[in-house]
Amino acid sequence: MKDPGPRWLSPDEQSTWREAIEAWQWLLAAVDAQLQRDSGMPLAYYEILVRLSEAPDHSLRMTQLAEASSSSKSRVSHAVARLEERGWVRRMDCPTDRRGQIATLTDQGFAALSAAAPGHVEQVRRVLFDALTPEQLRQLDGISAAIQARAAASPTDAEGCPAA
């Protein structure tokens, strides 16, 4: 059987794809800029602090933290090193697995997160939720869930990126 080749995007699909990418890039840039300006931390650091704050004992294995924050292990390791320098996170060896490490949110890190949260939430509300009707929000929720489910079912490489 002959390979049918690529399934090229139609003009409408191409437009939708580009609009979606640009919308999320603008949204993430606006949220990141607010966090940097008001709290001195990028969105990636904020996300790590949130994940740790929601975990039992405010602690996660580094691999779990990478999965939870949808980031590569090396990127999370680098970010946690920066957060350690600020005294916001403490990293220790896993007592049951010598190869594993555990990141723990410190009291100082929780305080930084608590201070950053009000401005962050207001910015998210302003650039996302206030721009959409309740019906659009329900649709976005369903669309996002469908995309996540499809992406999660796709083969990935060792870094968690879709396989080429």
Side-chain angles (χ1 to χ4, degrees), residues 46-65:
Y46 183 87
E47 180 67 17
I48 288 170
L49 297 178
V50 167
R51 297 298 179 164
L52 290 172
S53 77
E54 294 171 342
D57 299 322
H58 298 261
S59 299
L60 286 171
R61 287 179 63 106
M62 293 293 289
T63 53
Q64 292 173 309
L65 186 55

Side-chain angles (χ1 to χ4, degrees), residues 23-24 26-38 42-44 46-47 50 113 116-133 137 140:
W24 285 110
W26 278 104
L27 178 126
L28 292 173
V31 171
D32 187 70
Q34 177 277 320
L35 280 167
Q36 292 272 15
R37 180 187 69 238
D38 297 348
L43 179 57
Y46 183 87
E47 180 67 17
V50 167
L113 176 63
H120 169 71
V121 169
E122 183 55 38
Q123 181 73 339
V124 169
R125 182 168 299 289
R126 189 180 71 72
V127 298
L128 177 62
F129 294 104
D130 291 349
L132 302 174
T133 67
L137 288 173
L140 180 59

